[in-house]
Amino acid sequence: MGKKEEQLAELLGTLGDFTSKENWDKFFTIRGTDDAFEWYAEWSELRNPLLSHLPPQPQILVPGCGSSRLSEHLYDAGFNSITNIDFSKVAISDCLRRNVRHRPDMRWRVMDMTAMQFEDEAFDVVVDKGGLDALMEPELGPKLGTQYLSEVRRVLKSGGKFICLTLAESHVLALIFSKFRFGWKMGIHAIPQKPSSKPSLQAFMVVAEKQVSSVLQEITSSFNDSSLALKGSQACGLLEAVEKENQIRRDYSTGSDVLYSLEELQLGARGDLTKLCPGHRFQLTLGGDSRFSYRAVVLDAQESSGPFAYHCGVFIVPKTRAHEWLFSSEEGQWMVVESSKAARLVMVLLDASHVSASMDDIQKDLSPLVKQLAPGKDDSGAQIPFMMASDGIKQRNIVHQVTSTITGPVIVEDVIYENVDGDISRILPSRDLTFRRLVFQRSEGLVQSEALLSEEGSNNKVGETERKKTNSSSKSKRRGIQRRSGETSHQLKVYHGYLASSYHTGILSGLMLISSYLESMASTQKSVKAVVIGLGAGLLPMFLHRCMPFMHTEVVELDPVVLKLAKEYFSFVEDDHLQVHIADGIQFVRNVANSAAADEISAVQEKEGAHCYTEPTSSNRSCLESHVEGKVPSKVDIVIIDVDSADSSSGMTCPAADFVQETFLQTVKDALSGKGLFIINLVSRSQAIKDTVISRMKVVFSHLFCLQLEEDVNEVIFGLCSASCIKEDSFPEAALQLEKLLKLEHPEISQSIINTTKKLRQLK
């Protein structure tokens, strides 16, 4: 026995590559005609478990038969309709000579098991003894195994069985499980082993039965950990693989948002792909044999969204925008479907693996894949249109990049748009307008701040008190503007007399709600106190400082890097009426409210002639100080929340969730004066999220107003503290008051703000 095993090992060593026809021919030639070679188990071990799964009088196919006597034993057991194939001519010739007289009905053919020459649904049973294992050498990958199993599925009749005798290695099981997941009933059985003092690998029998229904069924097994004859990695690996696959099947069955393969979909995982199913949505992976792999979402539009311009369309989302709520959430994706006018939309989400590829390459690679997802048979020859999320930028120049420990990667960039706002293009019509943008990479796609660069900006008097410069070369480098010698007189600089962001214009227009109060304060030369939470590039505070000189503004910014960028790249300047505090915004407002409450208590005690005076503690004092009176102010008149959220996947890009909690909203109201105004920039495409925020604000504030900006996700919400508020029929007069208060150089800009006031509406 020992000598035979040594000879067998020597013969197997001649194979090298188990997928090579030449190697197998050599192997069978050396081994000889009558010496059968059995993989894994002898007939005595296989007989009972194998015969128990065979139907009466089946048409049986044995692929990769080699020189095994398995077919002969089956024939002698009464199963005469057996076809054997192998790509080794030597093996087939030897087996034919051995059986032609004794088993005349047995058929033998030289054939590649990965490309069978049989009609569809030709067999009742396919019995594989080690064939799949031989194709699945880890270093060769799953390609040959995949081709073979596709052929097995094709040649089996409905109700037919694939019986695979295997060592059940993890990479082999992973392929079997995935290829026989939908429309198949599967079980795994351990093959009994002969008693032996020498440990060996155990063979298993996987039985997959072809079903009419595509309903998922869990894999059954006739063994457990304690019943397996072996221990160690093979047993653990098998049990883990079965449990992992069953969990996948449970997830599919419960409707979890899992990724299908194109092959699974074609097998009926989500019904008939050729038919539209309005309102259905599923995710999948595309690729494999193509150049790239893609994550995609297929959405069939509701019938109410019609009429449709396309039966099927493709919408490509660049990596930089794939995380955005519009493209990453189901609610946002349906919005894209409605605007695409496609009956079926295939949304493809690009990732880091596609960065080096051109869009033409990606489109060429995707075209044959998405055609397989198109509904119906389009005989008109209509092309499937490719659409893409774009930012409409004609030219972009990265000015500066930095990484903050708080904010993460930050970019300052100069851009020229394909189209610009009509008002500013009339003011500066002579050339392409350049805008400077501040972008937080954690919220990429959402421009944090945007400023117009112009020659007028260089005459900005506020900017003359900028930080001290070191030398001309570093100054030019910091600003990111490349200039030749002699062009400094035409230097572009941030112009603070214009608000490039439409939501900033919306915030300004809301001041109309308290314009009478603002006018009374300005006419009596009193300061209006404002707190802005979130500096960004400092554009809104600078505009207020320049155009409403009676405003005393305190800005709260958590990140000192942001303040540095605002000063160096956006001409932000502090003075007695505009200051920045590096602090937590929520705590800052809480300190203001606490100080105001302490001042009110002190005022009451003084009025009543109390003998004791309660001095506000340092913890109750806001770091907001009045630079005129030199003490902590009582209350503020305006609080503006303009901060982004670090977690854009929540569906709310601005503000962070803590700023819309009811406890904080109440703190804001406590910090505001009786005529105070609360303004919050809300960025979310989810109506449910917006409704939640508004319902919380209604609990706290007496009156709410909102401003929905056209073609923008920003919605500006205004809360008034006063029990009485401005009536809508008084809006025109209030807007006129606001216009007079604004000290603007260009009437077109003033008019833009006034026009925006017409979009304000009260929330009942």
Side-chain angles (χ1 to χ4, degrees):
M1 186 68 177
K3 185 176 180 180
K4 186 176 180 180
E5 288 177 349
E6 289 177 8
Q7 290 174 340
L8 176 60
E10 185 178 347
L11 283 171
L12 287 173
T14 66
L15 276 173
D17 180 5
F18 282 2
T19 65
S20 168
K21 175 182 176 297
E22 291 74 17
N23 285 355
W24 279 111
D25 282 343
K26 181 180 178 182
F27 173 82
F28 290 121
T29 300
I30 296 173
R31 188 170 179 82
T33 303
D34 296 322
D35 192 3
F37 175 65
E38 301 296 342
W39 288 101
Y40 309 152
E42 301 291 340
W43 175 248
S44 59
E45 302 159 9
L46 288 174
R47 178 184 173 86
N48 290 336
L50 180 55
L51 295 186
S52 68
H53 288 282
L54 296 180
Q57 301 302 314
Q59 292 286 334
I60 299 176
L61 172 66
V62 181
C65 60
S67 62
S68 170
R69 294 190 185 274
L70 175 63
S71 299
E72 299 169 19
H73 292 304
L74 286 170
Y75 191 97
D76 296 344
F79 299 94
N80 302 138
S81 298
I82 301 176
T83 300
N84 302 273
I85 66 171
D86 199 291
F87 68 174
S88 171
K89 186 176 181 180
V90 175
I92 293 296
S93 297
D94 289 348
C95 289
L96 181 59
R97 281 194 297 269
R98 196 169 71 209
N99 291 283
V100 66
R101 291 183 181 180
H102 303 294
R103 301 174 183 86
D105 294 331
M106 189 102 77
R107 291 175 293 277
W108 305 87
R109 296 184 62 177
V110 178
M111 189 183 297
D112 184 351
M113 62 198 290
T114 66
M116 300 182 198
Q117 299 160 24
F118 299 117
E119 297 292 328
D120 294 354
E121 300 189 350
F123 297 96
D124 299 294
V125 179
V126 174
V127 179
D128 176 315
K129 189 182 181 187
L132 178 61
D133 285 8
L135 293 176
M136 290 288 290
E137 289 191 82
E139 61 269 20
L140 298 177
K143 183 177 181 180
L144 291 175
T146 299
Q147 293 173 352
Y148 166 54
L149 293 184
S150 296
E151 286 291 87
V152 169
R153 288 200 312 265
R154 182 181 66 80
V155 301
L156 271 176
K157 298 176 182 178
S158 179
K161 293 180 179 179
F162 173 51
I163 301 176
C164 181
L165 301 167
T166 174
L167 292 180
E169 293 179 277
S170 59
H171 64 289
V172 176
L173 289 179
L175 185 66
I176 296 176
F177 291 163
S178 64
K179 299 306 177 186
F180 295 94
R181 185 174 285 153
F182 296 96
W184 297 81
K185 179 181 178 181
M186 185 177 290
I188 302 180
H189 313 276
I191 303 299
Q193 287 184 302
K194 289 181 179 180
S196 173
S197 59
K198 186 177 181 179
S200 61
L201 292 175
Q202 181 164 356
F204 295 87
M205 184 170 67
V206 179
V207 181
E209 184 177 348
K210 196 173 187 178
Q211 306 281 296
V212 175
S213 170
S214 62
V215 175
L216 271 174
Q217 300 182 55
E218 289 192 30
I219 299 170
T220 60
S221 59
S222 59
F223 56 83
N224 54 40
D225 193 9
S226 60
S227 66
L228 289 177
L230 75 162
K231 302 295 178 183
S233 60
Q234 188 189 18
C236 292
L238 173 64
L239 293 169
E240 287 176 5
V242 172
E243 177 52 34
K244 181 180 179 181
E245 175 63 19
N246 279 336
Q247 184 58 54
I248 290 173
R249 296 182 179 215
R250 287 190 289 269
D251 290 342
Y252 275 88
S253 299
T254 56
S256 298
D257 213 358
V258 292
L259 289 172
Y260 296 89
S261 68
L262 180 57
E263 188 175 43
E264 288 171 339
L265 293 169
Q266 291 170 332
L267 288 170
R270 297 287 297 194
D272 189 349
L273 261 188
T274 64
K275 296 180 180 178
L276 286 168
C277 192
H280 275 215
R281 168 189 177 273
F282 53 87
Q283 297 189 82
L284 73 154
T285 54
L286 287 172
D289 294 333
S290 60
R291 180 178 173 186
F292 299 105
S293 179
Y294 307 89
R295 184 168 70 89
V297 185
V298 174
L299 305 106
D300 285 354
Q302 298 284 4
E303 292 179 356
S304 58
S305 300
F308 301 109
Y310 315 106
H311 77 293
C312 183
V314 181
F315 192 92
I316 299 176
V317 182
K319 171 185 175 292
T320 55
R321 303 194 63 188
H323 72 288
E324 291 181 23
W325 181 87
L326 183 63
F327 307 116
S328 64
S329 72
E330 184 173 346
E331 187 180 352
Q333 289 166 359
W334 283 117
M335 290 182 177
V336 177
V337 173
E338 191 166 347
S339 63
S340 72
K341 296 301 178 184
R344 171 172 290 172
L345 187 69
V346 182
M347 183 179 291
V348 179
L349 300 148
L350 302 185
D351 57 33
S353 66
H354 308 110
V355 170
S356 61
S358 69
M359 203 48 59
D360 286 342
D361 289 341
I362 288 174
Q363 185 170 334
K364 288 176 184 176
D365 194 49
L366 276 172
S367 290
L369 299 173
V370 296
K371 283 180 180 177
Q372 300 176 67
L373 292 169
K377 294 182 178 179
D378 185 29
D379 299 325
S380 65
Q383 296 293 312
I384 297 176
F386 278 76
M387 298 164 268
M388 184 174 176
S390 173
D391 52 13
I393 292 175
K394 182 164 61 174
Q395 183 178 322
R396 175 187 277 110
N397 173 48
I398 302 297
V399 176
H400 183 69
Q401 298 182 71
V402 67
T403 298
S404 162
T405 56
I406 296 175
T407 307
V410 183
I411 291 177
V412 178
E413 61 183 10
D414 288 349
V415 301
I416 296 175
Y417 290 109
E418 294 172 357
N419 298 292
V420 297
D421 177 74
D423 291 335
I424 195 62
S425 62
R426 284 191 293 271
I427 297 171
L428 301 169
S430 59
R431 55 178 171 78
D432 284 335
L433 298 177
T434 302
F435 293 84
R436 177 158 294 176
R437 313 198 313 180
L438 181 68
V439 180
F440 291 175
Q441 291 293 89
R442 71 183 184 192
S443 303
E444 198 163 3
L446 175 74
V447 178
Q448 200 68 25
S449 300
E450 185 171 38
L452 174 66
L453 299 182
S454 76
E455 293 176 12
E456 286 192 52
S458 60
N459 296 322
N460 182 357
K461 292 181 180 179
V462 175
E464 291 174 3
T465 59
E466 279 187 298
R467 69 193 183 287
K468 294 181 179 179
K469 313 297 193 299
T470 54
N471 56 61
S472 59
S473 60
S474 63
K475 174 174 63 178
S476 176
K477 183 178 179 181
R478 282 199 195 100
R479 292 175 180 168
I481 307 297
Q482 301 297 322
R483 303 178 185 86
R484 295 189 300 272
S485 175
E487 291 188 339
T488 54
S489 60
H490 300 289
Q491 174 179 326
L492 293 178
K493 189 176 177 183
V494 170
Y495 175 50
H496 287 294
Y498 171 72
L499 291 173
S501 297
S502 58
Y503 83 92
H504 278 165
T505 302
I507 289 174
L508 259 294
S509 70
L511 298 181
M512 174 198 73
L513 297 170
I514 57 169
S515 59
S516 294
Y517 174 70
L518 296 178
E519 186 179 51
S520 66
M521 295 292 283
S523 62
T524 56
Q525 297 183 338
K526 294 180 180 178
S527 290
V528 172
K529 300 178 181 64
V531 171
V532 179
I533 308 296
L535 174 66
L539 304 175
L540 178 62
M542 287 293 286
F543 186 90
L544 289 171
H545 185 44
R546 174 177 178 139
C547 303
M548 304 187 85
F550 57 88
M551 190 84 70
H552 181 92
T553 306
E554 302 283 343
V555 186
V556 186
E557 172 57 49
L558 187 63
D559 193 346
V561 172
V562 172
L563 175 58
K564 187 172 186 291
L565 290 172
K567 289 181 175 181
E568 293 187 357
Y569 294 95
F570 292 88
S571 305
F572 179 78
V573 180
E574 294 181 83
D575 63 16
D576 289 344
H577 293 280
L578 174 58
Q579 288 201 333
V580 176
H581 302 275
I582 301 300
D584 175 83
I586 291 176
Q587 186 59 47
F588 187 94
V589 174
R590 185 178 295 124
N591 289 343
V592 173
N594 290 342
S595 293
D599 282 352
E600 288 180 354
I601 293 172
S602 299
V604 170
Q605 289 175 335
E606 289 179 0
K607 186 175 181 180
E608 294 176 351
H611 296 289
C612 59
Y613 174 75
T614 304
E615 181 71 25
T617 64
S618 58
S619 61
N620 286 336
R621 285 186 177 272
S622 166
C623 54
L624 173 64
E625 296 182 353
S626 170
H627 296 278
V628 177
E629 300 174 2
K631 66 176 184 179
V632 176
S634 52
K635 294 194 173 188
V636 297
D637 302 300
I638 301 169
V639 173
I640 301 172
I641 306 295
D642 185 20
V643 294
D644 78 315
S645 170
D647 181 19
S648 60
S649 64
S650 66
M652 187 164 59
T653 310
C654 292
D658 290 345
F659 287 94
V660 290
Q661 296 299 320
E662 194 170 323
T663 52
F664 175 71
L665 296 175
Q666 184 59 55
T667 301
V668 171
K669 186 177 181 181
D670 293 342
L672 285 168
S673 63
K675 298 291 185 178
L677 175 65
F678 176 53
I679 306 174
I680 189 164
N681 176 37
L682 179 61
V683 182
S684 176
R685 292 184 184 272
S686 170
Q687 190 57 50
I689 291 175
K690 291 180 181 179
D691 291 343
T692 299
V693 172
I694 290 171
S695 65
R696 291 174 183 171
M697 291 183 68
K698 283 181 177 179
V699 173
V700 176
F701 294 95
S702 303
H703 303 280
L704 290 185
F705 293 80
C706 77
L707 176 65
Q708 177 63 61
L709 301 168
E710 293 179 9
E711 300 180 0
D712 205 334
V713 295
N714 294 73
E715 186 167 356
V716 185
I717 312 295
F718 305 89
L720 287 173
C721 297
S722 175
S724 60
C725 75
I726 184 174
K727 304 297 182 183
E728 289 192 15
D729 57 5
S730 300
F731 277 11
E733 182 182 350
L736 184 60
Q737 277 183 316
L738 178 61
E739 185 177 17
K740 291 178 179 178
L741 290 170
L742 295 172
K743 308 300 181 184
L744 294 169
E745 298 170 6
H746 298 282
E748 295 90 345
I749 297 174
S750 177
Q751 190 58 48
S752 175
I753 296 172
I754 301 309
N755 288 341
T756 306
T757 64
K758 299 174 183 177
K759 300 174 185 177
L760 273 170
R761 63 183 181 88
Q762 187 168 9
L763 297 174
K764 304 297 185 182

